[in-house]
């Protein structure tokens, strides 16, 4: 076990390399997805020039159209445009879907940065990574010849999709440099963006902290899923249990019964942590059980819906079910690994007919079969039950309740108007 290094003296600007103090520094970003684009926004808002490079030409074209009002932010599909960048941020994604984490994207990103070694440069990696990866990427791809002019720091992004620039500035950023100089430089750069830095002794601390943060969320979701099943077996309302527990002001962090986990990050990061433990030979039964436990959430929703419909003398089979808001979470147009997909599979298996509405999502397919989209304003006919997942502000709850016999809220009513009266919770 390595004792923690004292954190770098992040406040002492006299120790900074002078090139970093220059008003005219140029910033390059590899990857212009959600995280890279947000970083580019922050950099341009701070008055610095930023070149956002993405290898996906359609992403580049879309983003160019969206960012016409930001002259300092240039979006390119050619990595050679990064040659003069003083600071380069890497914001690509790695996948943990296969047995071994697939680092291909970030290795490519590192190699394209390493092509321009002849200048002083700070490289900041924002991608969520298993512990030890920043060091490995540096040795194998980013800085194989240990060029002292290249400083490398790991600063995992902590944003939630939908966060504004000011939300991001309010969240301190972990900074783990490979050297104290790199930590100091990265802290200073973040300060220029208006972001408070939380320096740590080495990149591995920041890498593991990020996985801890996200796996904590997965654990809470899995646990409240189990509490939901226990509550239903007793015959009480799980949401009332969660609300009661949330009245404790300290020592408890509330999670709410809902549709379960979706999106790219939480499950992926839990798998990264699981693989890290397994590679180190560390038993991690809690982390290992999370994936299995989370898979039980959707069946519990369908069981609850079936029982509720039976109380209303309706059967799930051949009924028409309306899914409202199918993004992986409230306010998101992203349907990757959305919990709505599992519900659709189970509803199809029960021979229910399914329609969906979502102001943000134009088409929705599950297992290559389309789900019918309905215009919420035309009020689809013959709906037996509505499941409000991520919700849709275009639909009024009172009207919905007056037309649909069973309305089940899995969280999305928060963004909808009208009365919650008569709407069922898990
Ligand atoms: N999205 C979030 O809410 C969020 C929050 C916190 C952390 N993160 C983490 O931040 C990282 C980035 O997430 P994201 O949501 O922005 O990912 P994303 O998939 O939306 O974007 C990544 C972009 O990088 C591009 N890219 C990939 N490899 C490249 C390469 N070698 N060269 C150039 N471009 C390349 C892709 O084309 C894509 O546009 C991930 O590790 C993610 O886990 C994401």
């Amino acid at each position: 076990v390595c004792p923690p290094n004292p954190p770098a003296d992040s406040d002492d600007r006299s120790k900074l390399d002078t090139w970093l103090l220059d008003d005219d520094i140029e910033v390059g970003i590899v990857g212009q997805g959600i995280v890279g684009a947000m970083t580019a926004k922050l950099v341009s808002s701070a008055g610095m020039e930023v070149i956002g490079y993405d290898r996906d030409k359609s992403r580049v074209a879309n983003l160019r159209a969206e960012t016409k009002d930001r002259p300092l932010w240039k979006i390119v599909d050619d990595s050679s445009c990064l040659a003069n960048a003083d600071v380069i941020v890497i914001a690509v994604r790695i996948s943990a879907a296969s047995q071994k984490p697939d680092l291909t994207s970030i290795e490519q990103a590192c190699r394209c940065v390493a092509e321009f070694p002849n200048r002083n440069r700070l490289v900041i990696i924002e991608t969520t990574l298993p512990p030890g990866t920043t060091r490995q990427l540096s040795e194998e791809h980013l800085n194989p010849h240990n060029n002292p002019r290249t400083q490398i720091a790991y600063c995992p992004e902590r944003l939630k999709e939908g966060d504004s620039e000011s939300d991001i500035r309010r969240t301190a950023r972990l900074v783990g440099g490979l050297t104290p100089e790199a930590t100091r430089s990265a802290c200073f750069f973040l300060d220029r963006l208006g972001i408070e830095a939380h320096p740590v002794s080495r990149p591995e601390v920041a890498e593991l902290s990020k996985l801890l943060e996200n796996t904590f969320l997965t654990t809470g979701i899995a646990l409240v899923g189990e509490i939901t099943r226990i509550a239903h077996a007793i015959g009480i309302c799980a949401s009332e249990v969660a609300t009661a527990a949330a009245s404790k002001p300290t020592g408890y962090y509330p999670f709410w019964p809902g549709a379960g986990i979706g999106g790219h990050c939480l499950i992926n990061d839990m798998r990264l942590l699981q693989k890290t433990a397994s590679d180190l030979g560390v038993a991690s039964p809690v982390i290992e059980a999370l994936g299995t436990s989370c898979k039980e959430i959707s069946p519990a929703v369908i069981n609850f819906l079936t029982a509720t419909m039976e109380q209303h003398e309706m059967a799930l089979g051949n009924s028409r079910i309306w899914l409202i808001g199918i993004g992986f979470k409230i306010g998101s147009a992203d349907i990757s690994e959305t919990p709505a997909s599992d519900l659709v599979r189970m509803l199809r298996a029960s021979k229910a007919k399914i329609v969906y509405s979502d102001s943000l999502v134009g088409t929705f397919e599950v297992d290559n079969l389309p789900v019918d989209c309905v215009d919420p304003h035309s009020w689809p006919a013959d709906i037996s039950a509505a499941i409000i997942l991520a919700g849709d502000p275009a639909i009024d709850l009172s009207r919905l309740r007056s037309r649909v016999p069973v309305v089940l809220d899995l969280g999305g009513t928060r963004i909808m108007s009208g009365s919650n009266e008569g709407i069922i919770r898990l």
Side-chain angles (χ1 to χ4, degrees):
V1 173
C2 22
N5 293 336
D9 180 2
S10 57
D11 285 338
D12 191 348
R13 291 186 184 192
S14 66
K15 290 187 191 153
L16 280 168
D17 288 335
T18 47
W19 59 269
L20 201 57
L21 300 168
D22 199 331
D23 275 346
D24 294 333
I25 61 166
E26 190 175 291
V27 179
I29 301 180
V30 186
Q32 290 287 273
I34 294 170
V35 167
M38 178 50 88
T39 306
K41 261 190 211 166
L42 291 163
V43 173
S44 58
S45 295
M48 286 175 261
E49 260 185 57
V50 54
I51 297 170
Y53 157 61
D54 202 295
R55 63 183 179 188
D56 177 344
K57 289 189 184 343
S58 66
R59 175 76 189 145
V60 167
N62 291 341
L63 212 48
R64 272 185 189 150
E66 287 168 26
T67 54
K68 288 204 174 93
D69 57 337
R70 294 218 178 224
L72 290 174
W73 180 4
K74 200 170 147 205
I75 300 152
V76 300
D77 56 15
D78 173 4
S79 63
S80 68
C81 298
L82 302 175
N84 294 324
D86 306 287
V87 177
I88 293 194
V89 178
I90 297 179
V92 302
R93 180 178 285 283
I94 67 163
S95 162
S98 49
Q99 203 52 34
K100 218 170 153 262
D102 181 358
L103 300 179
T104 317
S105 293
I106 194 157
E107 287 173 354
Q108 278 170 359
C110 290
R111 283 196 295 272
C112 83
V113 173
E115 273 172 32
F116 321 111
N118 296 325
R119 55 185 303 123
N120 293 311
R121 174 168 285 159
L122 167 65
V123 181
I124 290 180
I125 301 180
E126 292 188 323
T127 304
T128 305
L129 295 174
T133 312
T134 301
R135 204 172 291 279
Q136 179 196 332
L137 289 169
S138 167
E139 288 165 4
E140 293 176 11
H141 303 281
L142 252 180
N143 196 13
H145 305 298
N146 217 1
N147 179 353
R149 299 178 76 185
T150 303
Q151 299 178 6
I152 299 168
Y154 181 63
C155 308
E157 176 58 66
R158 296 167 127 180
L159 69 75
K160 295 190 300 307
E161 204 190 316
D163 276 356
S164 64
E165 284 184 61
S166 45
D167 292 328
I168 310 262
R169 287 195 202 92
R170 272 196 294 272
T171 307
R173 189 74 69 90
L174 303 178
V175 181
L178 281 170
T179 59
E181 293 72 34
T183 303
R184 196 180 301 122
S185 300
C187 289
F188 176 69
F189 176 68
L190 289 170
D191 185 57
R192 287 187 72 169
L193 304 187
I195 300 174
E196 187 194 332
H198 179 99
V200 296
S201 58
R202 40 172 62 87
E204 289 79 0
V205 174
E207 288 165 334
L208 188 55
S209 298
K210 172 68 192 178
L211 295 184
L212 167 63
E213 287 167 20
N214 272 5
T215 307
F216 170 76
L217 293 180
T218 306
T219 309
I221 295 168
L223 178 61
V224 91
E226 290 184 14
I227 293 292
T228 302
R229 298 195 288 282
I230 294 168
H232 290 174
I234 298 170
I236 57 178
C237 172
S239 299
E240 189 185 355
V241 174
T243 306
S247 67
K248 188 174 184 219
T250 56
Y252 181 72
Y253 183 104
F255 288 90
W256 307 103
I261 291 185
H264 286 297
C265 290
L266 293 188
I267 292 286
N268 197 58
D269 296 355
M270 180 196 71
R271 287 187 191 130
L272 290 177
L273 189 54
Q274 203 176 325
K275 281 175 187 155
T276 301
S278 144
D279 289 349
L280 292 165
V282 175
S284 57
V286 172
I287 302 166
E288 265 170 47
L290 291 176
T292 316
S293 182
C294 288
K295 283 202 185 101
E296 296 301 323
I297 295 177
S298 307
V301 171
I302 297 297
N303 288 344
F304 182 78
L305 179 71
T306 308
T308 310
M309 287 177 71
E310 280 167 5
Q311 283 166 13
H312 286 74
E313 297 179 346
M314 293 183 292
L316 187 59
N318 289 322
S319 60
R320 207 161 176 235
I321 308 293
W322 187 6
L323 303 182
I324 299 178
I326 51 146
F328 84 93
K329 65 174 185 180
I330 291 176
S332 178
D334 184 356
I335 51 170
S336 49
E337 302 194 37
T338 169
S341 298
D342 269 348
L343 293 185
V344 167
R345 286 187 192 102
M346 274 176 265
L347 290 168
R348 279 177 180 160
S350 306
K351 305 264 182 294
K353 298 185 185 70
I354 311 148
V355 295
Y356 85 94
S357 298
D358 191 317
S359 308
L360 303 173
V361 184
T363 57
F364 181 35
E365 281 187 359
V366 177
D367 302 331
N368 299 323
L369 289 173
V371 181
D372 285 342
C373 181
V374 292
D375 174 1
H377 300 291
S378 64
W379 290 98
D382 304 327
I383 298 290
S384 307
I387 306 178
I388 302 176
L389 290 121
D392 188 339
I395 299 171
D396 180 80
L397 289 172
S398 314
R399 275 188 83 193
L400 178 68
R401 181 65 194 92
S402 68
R403 287 162 184 252
V404 176
V406 171
V407 180
L408 173 61
D409 175 27
L410 300 182
T413 51
R414 260 184 286 157
I415 58 161
M416 296 167 70
S417 59
S419 161
N420 272 322
E421 206 182 320
I423 291 180
I424 297 156
R425 296 183 300 160
L426 283 177

